[in-house]
Every structure is written in C-alpha cells, then in structure tokens.
Amino acid sequence: MIWNTMMGTSILSIPWGIKQAGFTSGIILILLMGILTLYCCYRVVKSRQIIPLIDTSNWEFPDVCKYYFGSFGQWSSLLFSMISLVGAMVVYWVLMSNFLFNTGKFIYNYVNDINVTDIVPGTNGSNKVICPSAASGHLPRNRSVVFSADNITSFTLFEKWWNKSQTVPFYLIAVLLPMLNLKSPSFFAKFNVLGTVSVVYLVLLVTVKAAHLGIHLEFNWFAENEFFVPEFRILFPQLTGVLTLAFFIHNCVITLLQNNRNQENNVRDLSIAYFLVGLTYLYVGVIIFASFPSPPLSKECIEQNFLDNFPSDDIMSFVARIFLLFQMMTVYPLLGYLARVQLLRQFFGNAYPSLFHVLALNLAIVGAGVAMARFYPNIGGIIRYSGATCGLAFVFVYPSLIYMISLHRAGQLTWPALIAHIFIILLGLANLIAQFLL
C-alpha cells in the first residue's frame, strides 16, 4: 500500500534528474535521499508515541505539530500540506495534457493512414528515440511531422484544435472539474490498482527498450566530447528536489500505517516500502540513462518526462500513456478531495460547506494546472520546487524539531543527536534554496 501510494509521477523525471546530477552522483543521491527520507519518515511515525499522558491514537501528524508548536504548527503544516497536494495536482494536469495530446495524435495519424516522419533529431529503426529539445528553438513541438496526404487542410485544422499547450489542457476541464465537485470520490479509489499496473508496465517498457538499444556510456575523461557522460555535475540539487517529492509520504504515513493489523511491524513495513521505491527509481533512472543512444544523440536530450523521448507513433509508449492517463484521471479527484477536506474543514468546519465554496476552490486548483500546462509545462521544475518546499517542513524540519524537543523535555538530548538533527534541517534548507539558484 505504501509503495503504491508513494510511486507517482516523479518516476518519469528520475532519468532527467540523473542527467542533471551526473551518472555516479545521481545513483549516490538516490540512495542517500532514500535513507534520509526514510529516517525522517520513521521519526514522523514515532512522533505520537513520544507524547506523554495523552491519548494520541487518532492523531495525524498536523495534530502533533499543533501540540508542539501551537497554532503556528497547525496552520504551517496545513500550508505545506496544501503545497504538496496542489503541486501534485498541477504536475498531473501537465502530464495528462501531454498524454492526451500524444494519444490523440497517434489515433488521428492511424485512422487517417498518415505516414509520420519526425523532423526532430532521432535514431533510426523500429525502436526510435528522439530529441525534442534539439528542435525546440526553431520548430513548434506540434508541427514536427511531415507526411504525404491528400487532405492537408484537414491536418492543419487538427493541429490548430489539438495543440499540446494551447487547447488540450482546456479540454480536460470538461471531464475533471465535475469529478472534483463530487461529495465523495470513493468510486475512484477502486481504481488504485491502475497505479501498480502503470508502474509495472513502465518497468517492462524500460527493460524492453534497453534490451533493443543497448548500453551507451562514455566515461573517458581524457577524450571529452559531446557524448561524454559526466559523473558529477553542479546541477545535482535539481535531482535532490525531485527526490524529496519522489520519497514524500510523510503527511499521510500515519494514516496509511493505521490499517496495519500488526502495529509492531510498522517500521519493518515502512523500510521495505522505501527499499522497493528506491529500487524502482534506481532501475528506471539508470536503465533509461544508460541505454539512451549516445551517440548518435546526446544525453542532454533526455526529457523531464522520459516518455517524450519516444515518438507519438511508438506502440509501447502509446500504451504507457493510455495507462498513465486513466490512472491520473482517477487519482486526480482523490487528491482534490484531500485538499478540500484539509482546507475547508479548517476554515469552515465542514469538508463540503456548499457547492459554491467547493467550486471556487476547485476552479482555483484547476486554473493553476491549466496555467502551468499552458505556460510552464516542465514537470521536473514543478516537482523539484514543490518537493523542496513541502519537504522542508514535513521531511526535514518538523520531524527533527519534534524529536529534539521531546528528548530535551525528557532530559535525554545529547550533543550528537542535537548536531545530527540540526544538520538535517540545514540540508533541507539548502535543498530549497538551491532550487532557485540552479
């Protein structure tokens, strides 16, 4: 359950993050961030148990923050929780627009028997890999095809009304806004299995593509060229920002573990879940990066969504986009429901005070998603900014501060524990600041 909940859209950006960090440092950072976030998550799980003389069995982590920090802890935890939820919903909207656009493009070309030839640089053969960023400076992303067809006017009209950034993000409103306004999204919770199916299929896709493409790594430091793979890059904080959200489950881990029949196994189950998540990220990230054909392309071509490196007429990528599109369309209302419950219940004492309140909130959230899909469709950037921001509070600061305060009150705070947890807080702060500097 924890693995299924934690595995999200971040997996699509892990190969790009490894490119930004460098191959060797990327692998090391995934391992270190996994261990660090696991420890902080462990501190969250244990945070209720270290409060004396109070029944905390029904408490969530924001309740613990309120106990230690008063109203500031209550409202700040709400703020950062909303940042994580709305940030995830914005990423979902950008990705759903991407997947819907490519799906529609594939279907249109297939139905009209259009022979597609990508102008953007890429490899040849049945397992083609493309470099969209190489053509972004002089070709609109939506017009990167040439074909022989009688009805050119029809295709021009299709391009006009089926545009990745200008039209498709708006089409999603008609489907998803009504879903957000439902009082209970329990129907969509039944489709959680789609998340597991999607991740398993992505792992299969990565494995098959790598088997056909082979391994392409050039580490010769004394013969540096455009295909040289750096083992360390100064842009590595971009990966740590992505990983903060990729390993983020701290605001709901207590709720998830409450369903465990044997509560004494919580730490074991949490550790196993983090191990599986880290292993999945490592496998997908390393395999995609290592198998990316360089030469003839450069590793710099790896996109923030690695599926964009496969053309729209690639069958396996088409199936992956279909899986992910339906999965996200079922998860999106659940995220909206969580945001509604947390925000409106705090202000009005009711998760559904009226249709007007709910509609106003949902319009604001949807508007943020449409705006990002229209003007800033960079999921890697959105993930790392929102991840580093909400992670500063829920991953690094609050768990460490609460643990130090509890030790101090019990007279058990030692210098090594104090220094170690202050260092964790400083790491979180540096992680956030670095996102805006690099």
Side-chain angles (χ1 to χ4, degrees):
M1 179 64 176
I2 299 176
W3 176 85
N4 187 38
T5 304
M6 206 185 312
M7 292 299 303
T9 56
S10 302
I11 191 173
L12 299 173
S13 295
I14 296 296
W16 169 81
I18 292 178
K19 177 196 75 175
Q20 299 300 91
F23 184 65
T24 303
S25 58
I27 295 174
I28 294 173
L29 285 174
I30 292 176
L31 295 173
L32 292 180
M33 285 295 293
I35 294 171
L36 179 59
T37 51
L38 169 60
Y39 172 75
C40 294
C41 199
Y42 166 77
R43 293 263 64 98
V44 171
V45 172
K46 292 293 185 180
S47 61
R48 296 185 306 173
Q49 302 174 12
I50 58 179
I51 298 177
L53 307 177
I54 297 178
D55 180 16
T56 60
S57 57
N58 294 321
W59 282 24
E60 303 291 343
F61 191 58
D63 297 314
V64 178
C65 293
K66 182 179 179 180
Y67 172 83
Y68 281 99
F69 308 116
S71 59
F72 172 79
Q74 177 185 6
W75 291 105
S76 61
S77 63
L78 173 65
L79 171 64
F80 287 111
S81 182
M82 289 298 297
I83 290 174
S84 67
L85 289 170
V86 175
M89 294 179 75
V90 168
V91 172
Y92 270 44
W93 201 279
V94 174
L95 285 172
M96 286 187 293
S97 301
N98 182 308
F99 297 150
L100 182 59
F101 167 77
N102 282 289
T103 301
K105 187 177 177 182
F106 175 91
I107 295 173
Y108 180 88
N109 292 340
Y110 180 81
V111 170
N112 292 276
D113 195 25
I114 295 175
N115 181 23
V116 179
T117 303
D118 287 307
I119 293 177
V120 291
T123 60
N124 297 319
S126 57
N127 287 282
K128 184 168 185 176
V129 178
I130 61 175
C131 184
S133 56
S136 60
H138 55 84
L139 279 173
R141 296 287 289 274
N142 208 32
R143 300 185 60 86
S144 60
V145 297
V146 293
F147 59 92
S148 56
D150 295 332
N151 198 345
I152 298 178
T153 303
S154 173
F155 185 80
T156 303
L157 190 63
F158 170 76
E159 282 193 309
K160 177 182 178 182
W161 292 104
W162 197 257
N163 187 285
K164 186 190 298 186
S165 60
Q166 297 181 9
T167 59
V168 173
F170 294 92
Y171 297 155
L172 288 169
I173 298 176
V175 178
L176 294 173
L177 185 57
M179 293 182 183
L180 285 176
N181 294 322
L182 296 176
K183 283 193 174 182
S184 173
S186 57
F187 171 76
F188 302 105
K190 300 175 182 178
F191 295 92
N192 267 348
V193 68
L194 283 176
T196 303
V197 174
S198 300
V199 173
V200 170
Y201 183 80
L202 278 178
V203 172
L204 175 64
L205 180 148
V206 167
T207 304
V208 172
K209 293 295 184 183
H212 285 93
L213 294 171
I215 302 300
H216 302 268
L217 293 173
E218 172 59 66
F219 292 111
N220 190 345
W221 286 82
F222 301 102
E224 184 172 344
N225 53 57
E226 62 176 313
F227 307 118
F228 168 74
V229 177
E231 297 185 63
F232 171 83
R233 295 183 69 183
I234 197 65
L235 298 176
F236 72 90
Q238 296 186 6
L239 176 59
T240 62
V242 171
L243 290 173
T244 306
L245 193 63
F247 287 111
F248 183 75
I249 199 175
H250 301 64
N251 62 338
C252 60
V253 66
I254 292 177
T255 303
L256 293 174
L257 290 176
Q258 280 177 345
N259 298 322
N260 263 8
R261 181 177 302 175
N262 301 314
Q263 289 293 304
E264 64 274 10
N265 296 331
N266 281 349
V267 175
R268 181 203 66 184
D269 295 343
L270 184 67
S271 302
I272 293 174
Y274 263 85
F275 172 77
L276 293 176
V277 170
L279 189 64
T280 307
Y281 288 153
L282 264 178
Y283 182 81
V284 172
V286 170
I287 293 298
I288 284 291
F289 184 90
S291 64
F292 193 83
S294 172
L297 303 178
S298 167
K299 301 291 187 185
E300 291 298 317
C301 291
I302 296 177
E303 293 287 300
Q304 296 184 12
N305 170 8
F306 75 80
L307 288 178
D308 285 344
N309 285 117
F310 302 107
S312 59
D313 59 346
D314 181 86
I315 298 296
M316 290 196 71
S317 301
F318 167 73
V319 175
R321 292 181 179 111
I322 289 289
F323 271 130
L324 289 166
L325 177 61
F326 279 103
Q327 178 218 349
M328 291 179 183
M329 290 182 71
T330 57
V331 174
Y332 189 84
L334 295 175
L335 295 175
Y337 175 76
L338 292 174
R340 180 208 313 169
V341 168
Q342 292 191 17
L343 188 65
L344 298 187
R345 186 170 286 172
Q346 282 288 342
F347 282 97
F348 303 103
N350 188 344
Y352 205 101
S354 73
L355 178 61
F356 173 78
H357 291 85
V358 173
L359 183 60
L361 173 63
N362 292 335
L363 283 173
I365 295 175
V366 168
V370 172
M372 284 295 185
R374 175 70 180 85
F375 299 107
Y376 188 75
N378 302 317
I379 65 166
I382 301 171
I383 289 174
R384 67 188 183 94
Y385 288 127
S386 60
T389 302
C390 66
L392 175 64
F394 278 107
V395 179
F396 300 103
V397 174
Y398 287 156
S400 298
L401 279 181
I402 288 172
Y403 183 59
M404 287 190 292
I405 293 173
S406 65
L407 288 179
H408 177 69
R409 290 178 178 178
Q412 299 174 355
L413 182 62
T414 62
W415 279 107
L418 179 66
I419 294 172
H421 289 85
I422 289 178
F423 180 67
I424 290 175
I425 294 173
L426 293 177
L427 282 179
L429 184 61
N431 183 40
L432 176 60
I433 295 174
Q435 306 309 315
F436 297 93
L437 299 179
L438 298 173

